[in-house]
Amino acid sequence: MIHLHDMVALMEDTPAQRFPFGGQILLRRGQVGTVVEELGDGEAFEIEFSRPDGQAYAMVAIRAEQLLPLYYEPVDLAAAS
């Protein structure tokens, strides 16, 4: 399940417009971004891609099945059942 502000990775190469000045760029499979908006009841998400200094270089709407949620903590199996 993907939520607002989650970190996600692309499952496939995705063409995009450079943000904010335009120009075509290619976001590569595995490229990491942050969910900034949910679209269509979770069918798609607006993802912000940014440099390590926080400067955004792309904002793209991507279908949920094209995203891999990233996890930083394990799930306690006792709490998950």
Side-chain angles (χ1 to χ4, degrees):
M1 187 110 182
I2 298 174
H3 300 93
L4 192 62
H5 304 290
D6 281 354
M7 299 294 291
V8 294
L10 292 176
M11 299 287 289
E12 57 191 55
D13 290 353
T14 304
Q17 288 287 109
R18 183 175 298 279
F19 177 84
F21 304 113
Q24 277 291 101
I25 58 173
L26 179 65
L27 302 174
R28 301 297 308 262
R29 179 178 184 263
Q31 196 114 21
V32 175
T34 304
V35 176
V36 294
E37 187 174 351
E38 181 179 326
L39 307 169
D41 291 328
E43 294 173 12
F45 296 89
E46 185 79 16
I47 309 298
E48 178 183 272
F49 296 89
S50 59
R51 298 190 313 235
D53 67 2
Q55 180 66 43
Y57 58 82
M59 298 273 289
V60 183
I62 300 177
R63 293 188 326 268
E65 62 268 12
Q66 294 176 283
L67 297 170
L68 175 68
L70 302 177
Y71 300 97
Y72 296 94
E73 297 292 329
V75 173
D76 184 345
L77 290 179
S81 55

